[in-house]
Amino acid sequence: MIHVEKALQLVDNHLTKTETYTTIPLAQALGCALAEDVISPIHMPPFRQSAMDGYALGSVAETNFTLIGEVKAGDNANPELHAGEAIRIFTGAPVPTGAKAVMMQEKTEKKENMLLLHEQAKPDANIRPMGEQIKKGEVALPKGTVITAAAVGYLATLGVIEVTVYQKPSIAIIATGNELIAPGQPLQHGQIYESNSIMLSTALAKTGFTHVDFFKIEDEYETTLSVLDQAITHYDVVVISGGISVGDYDFVGKALRNLEVEEVFYKVKQKPGKPLYFAKKQNTTIFALPGNPASSLSCFYVYVLPALHKISGYSQPQLQRSTVATNSAYTKKGERAEFLKALVTGDTVTLLDGQASSMLSSFALANALIYLPNDVKEIHIGDPVQVIYLP
Ligand SMILES: Nc1nc2c(c(=O)[nH]1)N[C@H]1C(S)=C(S)[C@@H](COP(=O)(O)OP(=O)(O)OC[C@H]3O[C@@H](n4cnc5c(N)ncnc54)[C@H](O)[C@@H]3O)O[C@H]1N2
Ligand code: MOO
């Protein structure tokens, strides 16, 4: 059995980012990594812009001005402005070329067509220079940047309508087990609701992986063999849940061996998720996750998601980690490294009740996993602990 760090390193070593690019509408790019730098096609702002509702001033030496007109946002106007003259202006409006500053209206008084300032204006005050944020031809976002809502907004401000990104992998999720039935049907004795596929696809969708198909198979060798064979042939990543342990009806390992995949590791010294299996076959990446729901999800976040990020060209594939003081004491029962469902609030982290690998009640309330490596046997209140944030 290998250690967590070794398993993570082996996954990383066996993956490379895709060489396939695709150009897609900006609105569909959430969670994709840029395959090339995005160059700004315009200056932003495209013109000198007023940052306040107030008055554009033709000079900054005096405090008395003659009002000569108005410019509002969207106006395609550039009135001439001389020393001693002011123009009514609004936030976002183009500042006339001759303007030396904009004074916010709260610091002024108006008497008929005369403007009196409470204080002298500072040169260039409240004027956003043309190209202040970015200039035409500069790199707006570098290759490898992951598209977030903010990135979509930023590129939209530059008028960008499509981006070239690394192709996201196609993913097959395969749930195994005779006992599993779809939610919505009445349960017979011995049955449980199949929850891992909807859980994993929801976690995938949340992080922008949408090319996902599902398969459900019984604990039967021939079907397992043929479904896995088809999935490995047609998908970039195959994620299997259950059937990977040592029971007489756990056929996943045997089927994968007979399909001549390159097994990279099987079993990691961790809790939950001991029987985690990782393999490659040509360009297909294969994870078999233990069927226990919390084991499946824990392995998904710790191993599968960073792997998908790497394949998809993310410059930082790992989930965010940090060290936080624990509010809870805990003593390990065994020797394995542990991933514990936890809630980070402020600068502390609290362990949640219900840590068994069959339970999702704690995971449903968690925003992080506390990682206790092999050599940490217990933690006391106030101790610094490593946390992995759930996306
Ligand atoms: N003799 C041993 N038995 C087990 C060992 C061991 O080392 N020696 N390891 C245990 C550990 S740890 C785990 S984890 C499980 C993993 O078993 P499998 O990956 O073969 O998973 P299953 O047996 O198919 O299922 C385990 C559990 O999870 C439920 N399950 C499975 N799939 C789903 C699903 N899609 N949705 C909801 N629930 C699911 C299933 O009904 C079982 O209760 O093996 C231990 N045994
Ligand atoms: O390793 Mo298992 O996932 O603890 O139950």
Side-chain angles (χ1 to χ4, degrees):
M1 210 162 12
I2 61 170
H3 286 170
V4 169
E5 285 70 24
K6 180 72 182 166
L8 285 169
Q9 191 189 27
L10 283 169
V11 172
D12 190 56
N13 290 349
H14 281 80
L15 299 175
T16 48
K17 78 176 170 211
T18 176
E19 286 168 5
T20 316
Y21 306 167
T22 173
T23 299
I24 55 172
L26 182 59
Q28 291 168 22
L30 184 68
C32 294
L34 291 172
E36 56 186 32
D37 293 348
V38 176
I39 306 298
S40 181
I42 59 165
H43 293 305
M44 189 62 207
F47 49 85
R48 292 211 311 161
Q49 209 176 43
S50 177
M52 291 287 171
D53 297 319
Y55 298 90
L57 312 173
S59 47
V60 289
E62 52 273 280
T63 51
N64 278 303
F65 293 85
T66 309
L67 279 167
I68 62 158
E70 176 183 285
V71 188
K72 57 186 185 304
D75 281 357
N76 182 12
N78 191 10
E80 265 191 52
L81 196 57
H82 305 103
E85 292 175 345
I87 272 183
R88 181 79 170 119
I89 199 162
F90 301 94
T91 308
V95 174
T97 312
K100 301 292 185 291
V102 168
M103 180 59 85
M104 65 193 295
Q105 65 193 48
E106 292 86 334
K107 294 184 177 171
T108 67
E109 260 163 65
K110 208 182 114 189
K111 286 203 181 104
E112 291 166 2
N113 71 333
M114 290 304 293
L115 180 74
L116 182 66
L117 307 189
H118 295 170
E119 60 191 55
Q120 216 176 313
K122 294 191 179 67
D124 297 322
N126 300 317
I127 298 177
R128 299 178 190 140
M130 183 165 88
E132 181 188 37
Q133 189 177 179
I134 189 160
K135 295 190 174 48
K136 181 177 176 175
E138 287 181 348
V139 174
L141 289 175
K143 177 177 171 173
T145 303
V146 178
I147 300 294
T148 58
V152 168
Y154 174 47
L155 295 180
T157 65
L158 305 179
V160 171
I161 54 170
E162 52 185 30
V163 280
T164 301
V165 295
Y166 291 106
Q167 177 100 50
K168 287 282 188 74
S170 59
I171 304 165
I173 297 180
I174 303 171
T176 71
N178 292 348
E179 73 280 24
L180 307 174
I181 63 159
Q185 300 172 41
L187 281 178
Q188 305 296 327
H189 181 68
Q191 293 182 325
I192 60 162
Y193 290 121
E194 198 282 296
S195 56
N196 286 353
S197 61
I198 191 173
M199 171 177 75
L200 296 174
S201 67
T202 303
L204 286 167
K206 187 168 182 212
T207 48
F209 293 90
T210 49
H211 187 167
V212 181
D213 291 319
F214 307 103
F215 304 88
K216 157 76 187 28
I217 46 181
E218 304 283 296
D219 294 319
E220 197 270 315
Y221 176 68
E222 291 301 330
T223 326
T224 306
L225 187 74
S226 77
V227 171
L228 291 186
D229 191 16
Q230 288 295 310
I232 291 168
T233 309
H234 292 109
Y235 292 84
D236 300 315
V237 179
V238 176
V239 180
I240 307 150
S241 121
I244 191 61
S245 189
V246 292
D248 293 352
Y249 298 92
D250 291 331
F251 293 119
V252 171
K254 182 181 168 193
L256 289 172
R257 271 191 300 281
N258 286 337
L259 290 168
E260 295 179 347
V261 303
E262 179 205 341
E263 179 181 315
V264 180
F265 63 77
Y266 174 44
K267 292 194 175 166
V268 181
K269 205 168 177 194
Q270 64 183 2
K271 188 179 169 188
K274 181 178 68 176
L276 173 66
Y277 178 103
F278 174 64
K280 290 280 300 183
K281 189 169 184 184
Q282 277 116 33
N283 286 329
T284 301
T285 301
I286 303 150
F287 288 97
L289 311 181
N292 276 318
S295 311
S296 266
L297 193 57
S298 184
C299 288
F300 174 83
Y301 283 127
V302 175
Y303 298 91
V304 182
L305 194 53
L308 294 173
H309 289 167
K310 182 162 186 193
I311 295 170
S312 307
Y314 282 33
S315 46
Q316 291 177 324
Q318 296 307 322
L319 300 189
Q320 202 193 329
R321 293 179 182 231
S322 74
T323 302
V324 178
T326 175
N327 259 334
S328 318
Y330 179 78
T331 304
K332 275 188 192 166
K333 291 192 184 66
E335 294 278 290
R336 291 181 272 171
E338 294 194 18
F339 295 96
L340 301 164
K341 278 70 76 183
L343 190 66
V344 177
T345 43
D347 52 7
T348 55
V349 60
T350 305
L351 196 62
L352 297 170
D353 285 338
Q355 293 289 336
S357 52
S358 55
M359 296 177 184
L360 286 175
S361 50
S362 55
F363 230 135
L365 301 174
N367 60 8
L369 296 172
I370 294 177
Y371 174 52
L372 301 182
N374 273 71
D375 55 350
V376 177
K377 305 295 172 212
E378 55 186 12
I379 50 172
H380 306 102
I381 292 172
D383 283 355
V385 293
Q386 275 189 59
V387 297
I388 303 171
Y389 294 93
L390 302 174

